Amino acid sequence: MELRHLQHFVAVAEDQHFTRAAERLLVSQSGLSASIRALERELQTPLFVRTTRRVTLTPAGRALLGEAERILAQVRAAHEAVAAVQGVLRGMLALGSEQCIAGVHVAGLLAAFRHQHPDVEICLRQAGSGALAEEVAAGRLDLAFAVRTQADSDQLRSVPLSSEPMTLLCHASHRLAAAGAAVTPEELGGEVFVDFHPDWGPRRTTDTVFAAAGVRRTVALEVNDVHTLLDLVDENLGVAVVPRHFAHKRASLTALPVKGTGEAVYETVALLPPREATSPAARALMALLEATGPSLGSAGTSSGITGTSSGAAGATTETTGATPWTTGATPQTTGTQEETTGV
């Protein structure tokens, strides 16, 4: 089995089309088809179902895809490791992030990284925390800034960035705004909610809070960006339960504490592969995050690379030092800045 066969296989799986994959790889379509056939002969099974319109993976192809991606990521990491030993960091940094993630100013961190390592190509992808975790575990991303969605495993480890409580946002004329008191999930059961897609970290945290309280809620307005959520609440079309630092983005809205949530908090982390599989570029980015020094956090928010502690279920959880890129939940911190395009 040759590496180019795996590279060709992954490209066809991603594009679901031989012609588009061949154009992206700068190879002939006939050569690409021959490479895939050679791989199928070696594995003694079809990897794709071919139709006139598109190409889909067979069960065997789906099983191979994850392994092929991990192998190619390890080969890339090996090349980058050798270059790093020679004193030159080059290659690619593939980073994922949720929008308006607390605990790190993504744009500022990437700008500093590019200044230090101009030969590294930076690729950024926005997605929900669940999808980002899967892409890091599969080797498609070097690391991601996301909300904790699962315990650490042999394919994924986490470095805590910050944590903060959830807050209710509502229109100033809403009945709850007039009361001005903390609210419970039970008091919100009849409300119409504005929220993000189910894979987003804030949505996952809110769903956990309401499920733990045994309260059903209606998410009638589902969005994929922060400012649309704020706009809808600002028009009194619904209420939203969001991380506390979101409240500083729209002064016209009323923010109320949510009580009775137990241990459910919005906790952001850096997601990385195991140490031995972490790319030099990812290590350099995390070193930059740590080395920029401590900053003041806000009440109720913890962040910081301070050492190593034991995580749940025997997993290793590391903490990273609060830095100028690390953000708290007050208007004075960089955490309320809009760090990604469209946020």
Side-chain angles (χ1 to χ4, degrees):
M1 187 180 299
E2 299 180 23
L3 283 177
R4 67 182 179 88
H5 291 160
L6 294 180
Q7 292 167 338
H8 294 170
F9 165 73
V10 170
V12 175
E14 290 175 344
D15 291 337
Q16 297 185 343
H17 200 279
F18 273 84
T19 301
R20 287 196 293 268
E23 290 172 351
R24 178 154 66 94
L25 293 168
L26 302 178
V27 300
S28 68
Q29 184 173 338
S30 60
L32 179 61
S33 297
S35 179
I36 297 300
R37 285 196 300 270
L39 187 58
E40 289 175 325
R41 281 196 303 271
E42 181 168 350
L43 296 175
Q44 299 181 349
T45 185
L47 299 173
F48 294 103
V49 177
R50 299 159 171 85
T51 69
T52 55
R53 294 193 173 184
R54 65 174 187 157
V55 176
T56 58
L57 288 167
T58 64
R62 287 193 295 272
L64 177 62
L65 181 59
E67 297 302 321
E69 289 173 330
R70 275 188 284 273
I71 290 169
L72 294 175
Q74 289 171 347
V75 170
R76 176 166 61 89
H79 283 287
E80 293 170 358
V82 172
V85 169
Q86 296 171 335
V88 179
L89 188 62
R90 56 167 59 99
M92 178 185 295
L93 172 69
L95 171 68
S97 179
E98 275 206 358
Q99 286 187 28
C100 295
I101 194 78
V104 58
H105 180 208
V106 176
L109 179 62
L110 290 181
F113 180 86
R114 172 164 287 174
H115 179 74
Q116 287 192 8
H117 306 289
D119 292 329
V120 178
E121 179 185 357
I122 299 172
C123 294
L124 176 65
R125 165 171 159 71
Q126 282 189 346
S129 289
L132 292 175
E134 291 177 1
E135 295 205 17
V136 173
R140 291 189 290 270
L141 290 175
D142 292 309
L143 76 162
F145 298 126
V147 172
R148 186 187 298 280
T149 61
Q150 62 189 52
D152 289 6
S153 67
D154 58 355
Q155 293 183 341
L156 199 67
R157 59 190 175 99
S158 61
V159 177
L161 297 174
S162 74
S163 64
E164 62 186 273
M166 301 296 282
T167 298
L168 176 76
L169 294 184
C170 62
H171 192 271
S173 66
H174 194 279
R175 62 178 181 85
L176 294 171
V183 295
T184 65
E186 289 79 6
E187 293 174 291
L188 299 174
E191 296 292 334
V192 174
F193 281 85
V194 185
D195 212 330
F196 301 108
H197 290 292
D199 193 42
W200 276 52
R203 171 69 179 269
R204 284 171 172 259
T205 305
T206 303
D207 285 347
T208 299
V209 167
F210 279 79
V215 177
R216 290 190 62 185
R217 68 185 185 118
T218 301
V219 179
L221 304 168
E222 194 173 80
V223 301
N224 64 2
D225 72 283
V226 173
H227 286 290
T228 298
L229 178 143
L230 298 175
D231 287 343
L232 293 170
V233 176
D234 213 3
E235 295 294 341
N236 206 15
L237 292 170
V239 300
V241 176
V242 296
R244 186 172 60 187
H245 74 276
F246 280 27
H248 307 301
K249 297 179 179 294
R250 192 68 58 94
S252 59
L253 298 178
T254 297
L256 301 172
V258 180
K259 62 182 180 180
T261 60
E263 297 180 355
V265 295
Y266 172 81
E267 182 184 6
T268 61
V269 296
L271 297 173
L272 297 109
R275 289 182 182 279
E276 64 275 9
T278 302
S279 71
R283 289 197 294 271
L285 187 73
M286 293 303 296
L288 179 60
L289 185 65
E290 180 178 3
T292 43
S295 67
L296 294 177
S298 62
T301 299
S302 66
S303 52
I305 295 189
T306 55
T308 302
S309 61
S310 177
T316 299
T317 302
E318 303 160 14
T319 57
T320 65
T323 74
W325 318 116
T326 344
T327 61
T330 66
Q332 292 78 22
T333 62
T334 56
T336 60
Q337 293 180 1
E338 295 152 356
E339 61 238 31
T340 48
T341 303
V343 180

